[in-house]
């Protein structure tokens, strides 16, 4: 009778542990056997059941994956893996402060990363979210998109407080300061602090804080963009809403200024436009995947929309000839009106990305569910 009671208590304990530490189906079947076995073993050794619960809880917790983990990525480059729950995750390389992966609860990759991406300094990584600083594109004397995306960042172990509404523990703080070589090509001292985090609903959040630390009293001016590559099913099945009727600069026509005429942006050929004075929320609808990306931004007035299409894709060495069909760049940016900082001043630009099921009404996104 006593042994039967112990076995029953052990089974109940195993169920309580599983409720406290939920796992996938595959993990559950194996872990349940081990949990019951460990509880029974502890009880058979004469330990009381409450002690067995502690043992089993510790066992279950040790098997859980940490919300933040530093590990090695491609070519041995250091990366940080963020995990919120289940399969929701993000990966950030210290090279470039570069987010290369963002997955949802089903383990589906939400960012595009080229199959030919080169993870070898000083070549920037093609895909994910490159950081364009202190120069966007060729709008200045520096190399295209600046140098932040091909520098090695450091983990910021003691960052200044950053207010946040999120209760998630899945975030990392990085910092970039100029090297002597950087100061030769851009003679300004700065601190660029970047926080990358996963929200409790799996949303991806990036906050950039750039401070002028010049000791000579001189201000500096920069342009900026989060060069986000979204993964899409088929570019011809994608539309963007939220940029209608806005002015834009067409990079394919020497940045001539036009006004968007369509009800939404769709794709039939190469597009490279800088939309000006854009709203804080933009929606990207993927009809085939029945998914909508929602881009929320603060401190970033502009939005770049880019897809190289077939002809230009074949000229990009670190991108597959047909990969333009599975990617779309919608980039929160500060371009038309560059940011100027006096010594001691700080600028903040925030990006939040979420993926939600699409809701259609007469072919349009239901704004009450996403854009409001």
């Amino acid at each position: 009778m006593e042994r039967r009671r112990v076995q029953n208590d052990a089974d109940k304990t195993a169920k309580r542990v599983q409720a406290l530490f939920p796992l996938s189906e595959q993990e559950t079947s194996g872990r349940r056997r081990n949990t019951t076995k460990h509880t029974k073993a502890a009880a058979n050794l004469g330990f009381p059941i409450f002690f067995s619960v502690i043992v089993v809880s510790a066992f279950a917790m040790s098997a859980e994956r940490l919300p933040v983990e530093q590990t090695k990525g491609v070519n041995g480059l250091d990366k940080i893996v963020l995990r919120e729950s289940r399969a929701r995750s993000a990966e950030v390389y210290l090279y470039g402060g570069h987010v290369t992966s963002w997955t949802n609860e089903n383990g589906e990759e939400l960012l595009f990363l080229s199959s030919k991406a080169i993870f070898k300094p000083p070549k920037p990584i093609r895909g994910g979210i490159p950081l364009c600083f202190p120069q966007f594109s060729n709008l200045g004397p520096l190399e295209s998109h600046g140098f932040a995306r091909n520098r090695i960042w450091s983990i910021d172990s003691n960052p200044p407080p950053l207010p946040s509404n999120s209760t998630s523990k899945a975030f990392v703080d990085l910092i970039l300061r100029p090297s002597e070589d950087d100061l030769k090509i851009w003679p300004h001292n700065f601190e660029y602090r970047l926080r990358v985090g996963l929200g409790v609903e799996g949303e991806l959040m990036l906050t950039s804080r750039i401070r002028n630390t010049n000791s000579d009293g001189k201000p500096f001016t920069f342009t900026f963009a989060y060069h986000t590559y979204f993964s899409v099913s088929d570019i011809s099945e994608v539309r963007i809403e939220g940029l209608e009727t806005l002015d834009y600069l067409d990079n394919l026509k020497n940045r001539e200024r036009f006004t968007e005429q369509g009800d939404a942006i769709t794709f039939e050929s190469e597009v490279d436009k800088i939309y000006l004075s854009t709203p804080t929320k933009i929606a990207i609808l993927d009809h085939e995947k029945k998914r909508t990306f929602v881009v929320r931004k603060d401190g970033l007035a502009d939005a770049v929309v880019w897809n190289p299409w077939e002809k230009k894709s074949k000229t990009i060495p670190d991108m597959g000839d047909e990969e333009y069909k599975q990617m779309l760049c919608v980039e929160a940016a500060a371009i038309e009106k560059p940011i100027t900082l006096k010594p001691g001043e700080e600028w903040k630009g925030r990006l939040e990305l979420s993926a939600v099921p699409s809701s259609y009404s007469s072919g349009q996104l239901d704004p009450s569910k996403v854009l409001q």
Side-chain angles (χ1 to χ4, degrees), residues 32-104:
R32 185 182 291 121
R33 290 192 298 270
N34 288 336
T35 301
T36 305
K37 179 179 69 176
H38 280 69
T39 308
K40 289 178 180 178
N44 287 336
L45 287 172
F47 294 110
I49 289 298
F50 76 88
F51 183 81
S52 302
V53 173
I54 296 174
V55 172
V56 176
S57 297
F59 167 74
M61 291 178 68
S62 67
E64 288 294 292
R65 297 185 300 176
L66 298 173
V68 182
E69 179 185 3
Q70 183 171 356
T71 184
K72 296 292 184 181
V74 180
N75 290 334
L77 294 174
D78 289 313
K79 70 176 181 179
I80 307 298
V81 180
L82 306 177
R83 303 182 181 94
E84 172 48 39
S85 63
R86 299 291 182 177
R88 292 169 176 162
S89 69
E91 295 185 2
V92 191
Y93 275 75
L94 295 188
Y95 177 56
H98 197 132
V99 177
T100 57
S101 176
W102 171 40
T103 62
N104 63 13

Side-chain angles (χ1 to χ4, degrees), residues 147-148 151-154 174-178 190-193:
F147 52 75
R151 295 294 186 268
I152 302 294
W153 292 55
S154 301
L174 305 180
I175 188 168
L176 178 70
R177 296 185 177 95
F190 66 88
E191 288 181 344
Y192 182 165
R193 285 186 160 88

Side-chain angles (χ1 to χ4, degrees), residues 265-317:
I265 300 169
T266 56
F267 300 88
E268 298 176 347
S269 60
E270 181 181 356
V271 173
D272 190 355
K273 300 176 179 179
I274 304 171
Y275 287 84
L276 309 174
S277 301
T278 59
T280 58
K281 299 175 186 177
I282 302 168
I284 305 165
L285 290 74
D286 189 332
H287 181 71
E288 187 172 319
K289 288 189 176 180
K290 295 182 174 57
R291 173 192 296 153
T292 296
F293 290 110
V294 183
V295 178
R296 293 179 172 88
K297 57 190 181 68
D298 293 302
L300 299 156
D302 307 319
V304 181
V305 177
W306 179 64
N307 183 284
W309 218 252
E310 184 176 10
K311 185 177 179 180
K312 187 167 186 177
S313 290
K314 293 180 179 180
T315 69
I316 302 175

Side-chain angles (χ1 to χ4, degrees), residues 317-336:
D318 57 348
M319 187 170 175
D321 291 352
E322 300 293 316
E323 287 187 323
Y324 74 92
K325 297 178 181 178
Q326 278 74 55
M327 58 76 64
L328 172 62
C329 286
V330 177
E331 312 165 31
I335 300 170
E336 183 190 27

Side-chain angles (χ1 to χ4, degrees), residues 83-154:
R83 303 182 181 94
E84 172 48 39
S85 63
R86 299 291 182 177
R88 292 169 176 162
S89 69
E91 295 185 2
V92 191
Y93 275 75
L94 295 188
Y95 177 56
H98 197 132
V99 177
T100 57
S101 176
W102 171 40
T103 62
N104 63 13
E105 64 274 10
N106 299 318
E108 297 172 313
E109 181 57 62
L110 302 175
L111 297 178
F112 168 84
L113 185 68
S114 172
S115 63
K116 294 185 176 182
I118 301 170
F119 286 77
K120 188 175 182 180
K123 181 69 177 178
I125 300 168
R126 173 73 63 183
I129 309 180
L131 300 172
C132 302
F133 172 82
Q135 175 185 300
F136 175 77
S137 186
N138 58 359
L139 300 177
L142 301 176
E143 61 185 298
S144 182
H145 292 325
F147 52 75
R149 64 180 183 156
N150 54 16
R151 295 294 186 268
I152 302 294
W153 292 55
S154 301

Side-chain angles (χ1 to χ4, degrees), residues 19 25 37 52 84 109 137 154 185 198 215 262 279 337 360-361:
E25 285 300 317
K37 179 179 69 176
S52 302
E84 172 48 39
E109 181 57 62
S137 186
S154 301
I185 60 173
L198 272 179
S215 58
K337 298 177 181 178
Y360 287 83
S361 176

